């Protein structure tokens, strides 16, 4: 199944079921007004949601309408919890060089994860308001999962059964602010503004072989100001999503609607490019002794879209422009 949230006067919008080809949608508010509500009552509502999804794809619903991603917020405009990992060790090692930090203990065996802000996610086509270009504005293309309720101390294998939906996201970063916050030992705060999401969240079965081993085996195509920047694959994720969920739930239970991010998609093969500017800059330092690529400026745009081998975009696309934030 595929879901989106259409903006309304309500802060949390209304739940839409979206057709497999992303061309049509239908309201689902009579089943569940919000995606979070559907996640909290997943097992009870699943038969009705699935039946409506199949009817939509079969063209049997008179109240279906054209799906417009621009009218949508993030699939979950806000969630109980947002935790982001660094599950691609290639990226993590490069970032250690970027920030000139000591190697993280047990980095190869214990996932690194921070808890981000989950109160103000951005939609796929929303402008991104930020206060200062000098903060080092950077995009970070990632995949993520949305869970049902997860018990404390769940193991990695069983954790996979608690995944309800898959998402594609852009974890915006302000690179000039990151090093100081990392050195405090308290983690990111100002360096991590609101995260953006592709318009559609999908159940794992929608990806077919693109979802296996707890990983999204799709290429994430990244364009910056219309120019190719990279197309790394999610298959090289060192820690699968089951391991990440188990790590987050080791000493706490997770509420339905918790989002767990993969961290920046990154491949060892440098010819596939990168999913963030900081990684490209570190590679430039390693290869040419100095970075040549600047960070983003106001007016710059970024487009991120995960594609199947058939060229389909199951999540839709993130297509955003960075703007100067207005005062107040």
């Amino acid at each position: 199944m595929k879901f989106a949230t259409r903006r309304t006067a309500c802060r949390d919008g209304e739940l839409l079921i979206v057709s497999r080809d992303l061309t049509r949608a239908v309201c689902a508010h009579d089943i569940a007004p919000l995606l979070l509500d559907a996640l909290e009552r997943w097992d009870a509502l699943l038969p009705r949601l699935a039946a409506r999804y199949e009817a939509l794809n079969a063209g049997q619903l008179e109240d279906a309408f054209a799906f417009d991603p621009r009218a949508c917020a993030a699939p979950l405009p806000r969630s109980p919890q947002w935790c982001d990992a660094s599950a691609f060790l290639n990226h993590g090692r490069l970032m250690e060089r970027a920030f000139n930090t000591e190697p993280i203990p047990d980095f190869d065996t214990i996932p690194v994860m921070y808890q981000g802000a989950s109160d103000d996610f951005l939609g796929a086509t929303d402008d991104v308001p930020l206060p200062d270009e000098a903060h080092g504005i950077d995009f970070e293309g990632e995949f993520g999962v949305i869970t049902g309720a997860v018990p404390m101390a769940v193991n990695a294998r069983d954790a996979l059964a608690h995944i309800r939906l898959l998402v594609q996201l852009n974890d915006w970063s302000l690179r000039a602010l990151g090093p100081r916050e990392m050195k405090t030992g308290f983690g990111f705060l100002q360096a991590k503004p609101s995260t953006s999401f592709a318009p559609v969240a999908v159940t794992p079965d929608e990806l077919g072989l693109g979802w296996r081993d707890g990983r999204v085996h799709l290429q994430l195509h990244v364009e910056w100001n219309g120019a190719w920047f990279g197309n790394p694959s999610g298959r090289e994720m060192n820690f699968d999503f089951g391991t990440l969920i188990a790590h987050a739930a080791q000493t706490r239970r997770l509420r339905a609607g918790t989002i767990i991010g993969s961290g920046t998609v990154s491949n060892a093969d440098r010819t596939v490019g990168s999913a963030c500017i900081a990684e490209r800059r570190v590679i430039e330092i390693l290869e040419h002794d100095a970075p040549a690529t600047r960070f983003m400026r106001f007016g710059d745009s970024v487009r991120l879209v995960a594609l199947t081998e058939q060229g389909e975009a199951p999540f839709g696309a993130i297509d955003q422009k960075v703007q100067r934030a207005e005062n107040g």
Side-chain angles (χ1 to χ4, degrees), residues 38-56:
L39 290 163
E40 291 175 335
R41 298 188 290 142
W42 188 259
D43 291 338
L45 298 181
L46 187 58
R48 295 175 65 193
L49 292 169
R52 186 161 301 181
Y53 180 63
E54 292 306 319
L56 175 64

Side-chain angles (χ1 to χ4, degrees), residues 160 209-217 235 237-243:
L160 289 172
L209 291 178
W211 170 255
R212 59 186 188 274
D213 305 322
R215 297 167 174 84
V216 177
H217 289 247
R235 67 175 180 270
M237 191 173 165
N238 296 84
F239 298 106
D240 74 302
F241 277 110
T243 301

Side-chain angles (χ1 to χ4, degrees), residues 168-246:
Q168 176 199 313
L169 59 103
N170 182 2
D171 181 43
W172 290 96
S173 290
L174 301 177
R175 298 300 188 183
L177 304 180
R180 178 196 168 276
E181 293 190 330
M182 293 179 69
K183 290 176 182 177
T184 67
F186 276 77
F188 295 122
L189 180 67
Q190 294 175 344
K192 290 293 185 180
S194 296
T195 301
S196 305
F197 287 80
V200 177
V202 310
T203 50
D205 61 288
E206 288 291 334
L207 296 192
L209 291 178
W211 170 255
R212 59 186 188 274
D213 305 322
R215 297 167 174 84
V216 177
H217 289 247
L218 300 181
Q219 289 185 338
L220 184 59
H221 292 254
V222 183
E223 295 180 1
W224 178 12
N225 291 333
W228 177 86
F229 196 84
N231 58 302
S233 170
R235 67 175 180 270
E236 291 188 24
M237 191 173 165
N238 296 84
F239 298 106
D240 74 302
F241 277 110
T243 301
L244 298 184
I245 294 169

Side-chain angles (χ1 to χ4, degrees), residues 27-159:
C27 292
H29 51 72
D30 59 316
I31 303 174
L34 309 173
L35 181 55
L36 183 58
D37 182 52
L39 290 163
E40 291 175 335
R41 298 188 290 142
W42 188 259
D43 291 338
L45 298 181
L46 187 58
R48 295 175 65 193
L49 292 169
R52 186 161 301 181
Y53 180 63
E54 292 306 319
L56 175 64
N57 286 311
Q60 299 172 346
L61 301 180
E62 294 183 357
D63 54 347
F65 51 85
F67 176 60
D68 182 4
R70 296 168 298 179
C72 292
L76 273 179
R78 49 183 172 172
S79 76
Q81 185 169 208
W82 154 236
C83 296
D84 198 21
S86 183
F88 293 84
L89 297 187
N90 181 67
H91 176 76
R93 293 303 186 199
L94 289 171
M95 289 303 97
E96 285 179 352
R97 299 189 187 191
F99 292 122
N100 194 28
T101 57
E102 293 294 324
I104 298 172
D106 304 312
F107 186 70
D108 295 342
T109 56
I110 300 176
V112 174
M113 186 176 291
Y114 79 92
Q115 190 173 48
S118 61
D119 61 323
D120 188 30
F121 293 139
L122 298 177
T125 60
D126 291 346
D127 286 342
V128 183
L130 294 169
D132 195 337
E133 290 180 347
H135 288 162
I137 303 168
D138 198 357
F139 48 82
E140 290 193 61
E142 306 186 15
F143 295 110
V145 299
I146 305 178
T147 74
V150 181
M152 185 188 306
V154 67
N155 64 52
R157 180 191 61 197
D158 293 342

